[in-house]
Amino acid sequence: MPKYKLEYIWLDGYTPVPNLRGKTKIVSEAPNSVEDCPMWGFDGSSTQQAEGSSSDCMLKPVSLYPDAARDNGFLVMCEVMMPDGTTPHPSNHRATILDDEEAWFGLEQEYFLFQNKRPLGWPKDGYPDPQGEYYTGVGYANVGDLAREIVEQHLELCLEAGINHEGINAEVAKGQWEFQIFAKGSKKCADDIWIARYLLMRLCEGYKVDVEWHCKPFLGDWNGSGMHCNFSTKFMREVGGKDYFLKLMDAFDKNKEEHIAAYGPDNHLRLTGLHETQSIDKFSWGIADRGASIRVPHSFVNNDYKGYLEDRRPNSQGDPYQICSRVLKTVAEVPTA
Ligand code: ADP
Ligand code: MN
Ligand code: MN
Ligand code: MN
């Protein structure tokens, strides 16, 4: 009889960004769904989630994925709960996301692959050629010799896990990459992003490569990394309209500081008004405008202001739970009648 390996994965209590943590539970029967995965516990005093004198925190499984890298393996995304098992821990931002099966998110995760504190493919000293041919580029001069192997394997692992990748591409800076994940349901896309991050970091261990999630690893004329948040609700897709859209944009303007607070650390280094960004203290929207805070796709306008919008401010290091939570909170402030 085979044994099954369930990797319980959660977010620790570090700020401003949590770290991924994981440990393996061995069970005798394969889970068919997340309901088959029991609650578990861990030592919260080692993850900045509890005092040593009362250190237990609970892991509540919320999402289950096959793990193609391990025989009989599964990945179990968990929420962290207080010892009573029912109260969300203060570090549990997933629990703050409004439940809405009809909310859809598409997150575009950008990141750098680093080796010895330098992006893959960069010379040991100094800088590579200026940006220009790296974006969606091909060839050793543009992507180096190792990055694509990692990126391809990561894509395969994510697809085998059932994550709904929509695409991958080499990005504007050398050593910078992107994957896009789309999912229906207010929490699913954020779960999938965390699992995809986990799979990438674990894969890179064997290559002595680190994933640099920071939004601006290099100052100067090098693109930073974002995590554009494309979002829609049932109302936005099916009713919408210009009046509603303008009210929605007013709400986003009014809450701009709350949004920036949820969109990842050090964003002032990235949201400068250059490199296809709006500056951090301004809110703007624009049709097909990559220099706006919110880009309105042509399709949205052509479809009587129905469809999805792209908030370009969230950064690569942001917690997708906090990002999706904030977006839906602001959307919920705008009356639909
Ligand atoms: P770009 O780089 O031009 O911004 P991408 O193709 O990388 O565009 O990302 C666009 C994202 O928008 C995709 O992840 C896609 O899944 C998402 N998306 C498309 N339609 C919707 C929708 N109705 N609701 C939410 N997200 C959507
Ligand atoms: Mn993109
Ligand atoms: Mn991009
Ligand atoms: Mn985008």
Side-chain angles (χ1 to χ4, degrees):
M1 282 294 279
K3 294 281 194 178
Y4 297 88
K5 304 161 195 154
L6 310 186
E7 189 70 11
Y8 276 55
I9 296 169
W10 71 97
L11 300 176
D12 67 18
Y14 283 63
T15 55
V17 275
N19 301 291
L20 284 157
R21 305 277 180 149
K23 60 173 183 164
T24 309
K25 185 176 188 61
I26 306 297
V27 297
S28 302
E29 275 179 54
N32 290 311
S33 73
V34 73
E35 284 76 35
D36 295 336
C37 303
M39 298 265 302
W40 206 16
F42 68 98
D43 166 17
S45 72
S46 299
T47 59
Q48 301 202 353
Q49 284 162 311
E51 302 294 330
S53 54
S54 164
S55 64
D56 280 7
C57 289
M58 301 300 286
L59 292 172
K60 176 182 153 194
V62 292
S63 205
L64 178 68
Y65 306 80
D67 185 354
R70 254 177 161 181
D71 289 339
N72 302 310
F74 294 87
L75 304 160
V76 185
M77 192 66 203
C78 297
E79 280 189 22
V80 176
M81 310 301 282
M82 300 300 281
D84 66 12
T86 55
T87 310
H89 189 273
S91 64
N92 178 354
H93 295 285
R94 186 183 190 277
T96 71
I97 303 176
L98 298 170
D99 280 310
D100 182 356
E101 284 310 307
E102 296 285 350
W104 299 355
F105 284 100
L107 294 167
E108 305 171 51
Q109 173 78 66
E110 294 178 336
Y111 61 94
F112 280 84
L113 292 174
F114 265 46
Q115 198 160 42
N116 302 321
K117 308 207 186 305
R118 307 276 292 165
L120 280 188
W122 283 36
K124 238 172 93 227
D125 304 299
Y127 293 91
D129 290 342
Q131 294 183 163
E133 295 181 28
Y134 305 128
Y135 169 73
T136 59
V138 65
Y140 172 68
N142 286 329
V143 297
D145 61 350
L146 180 58
R148 197 181 297 277
E149 183 178 329
I150 294 173
V151 164
E152 289 292 320
Q153 283 196 42
H154 177 242
L155 174 61
E156 208 48 48
L157 285 170
C158 287
L159 293 176
E160 301 237 18
I163 294 174
N164 187 39
H165 269 244
E166 292 217 314
I168 60 171
N169 60 273
E171 266 302 335
V172 174
K174 192 171 192 183
Q176 190 186 31
W177 294 81
E178 168 175 317
F179 57 82
Q180 305 110 33
I181 295 176
F182 172 80
K184 298 180 177 179
S186 55
K187 305 183 182 189
K188 179 89 174 79
C189 189
D191 286 341
D192 292 357
I193 286 279
W194 275 119
I195 292 293
R197 286 180 179 181
Y198 178 89
L199 288 171
L200 183 58
M201 292 174 80
R202 193 184 64 182
L203 172 67
C204 282
E205 292 166 0
Y207 291 98
K208 299 187 166 69
V209 165
D210 279 307
V211 187
E212 178 54 84
W213 302 106
H214 191 271
C215 71
K216 197 76 184 180
F218 293 92
L219 299 176
D221 220 0
W222 297 97
N223 270 41
S225 300
M227 188 165 64
H228 297 165
C229 175
N230 303 274
F231 65 95
S232 65
T233 59
K234 188 174 163 71
F235 188 86
M236 287 168 66
R237 292 189 302 273
E238 294 180 4
V239 184
K242 191 164 184 183
D243 279 359
Y244 176 75
F245 167 74
L246 292 174
K247 284 187 195 133
L248 195 58
M249 291 304 93
D250 283 347
F252 270 80
D253 195 357
K254 191 181 99 212
N255 290 305
K256 59 176 173 288
E257 276 151 35
E258 288 79 0
H259 280 260
I260 292 298
Y263 282 0
D266 298 333
N267 227 352
H268 60 287
L269 299 175
R270 165 179 166 262
L271 299 178
T272 56
L274 302 172
H275 304 110
E276 304 176 26
T277 67
Q278 173 58 286
S279 52
I280 192 162
D281 52 349
K282 296 207 181 82
F283 175 82
S284 67
W285 59 269
I287 296 160
D289 182 358
R290 288 170 192 271
S293 315
I294 289 198
R295 178 171 68 94
V296 184
H298 281 301
S299 62
F300 188 89
V301 180
N302 295 339
N303 199 18
D304 293 328
Y305 290 79
K306 286 200 286 279
Y308 74 96
L309 298 169
E310 177 188 51
D311 194 330
R312 299 176 59 79
R313 296 168 296 171
N315 80 33
S316 48
Q317 210 176 16
D319 169 6
Y321 292 138
Q322 295 178 52
I323 294 165
C324 295
S325 176
R326 184 61 245 180
V327 166
L328 291 183
K329 261 194 197 98
T330 297
V331 172
E333 286 179 11
V334 182
T336 50

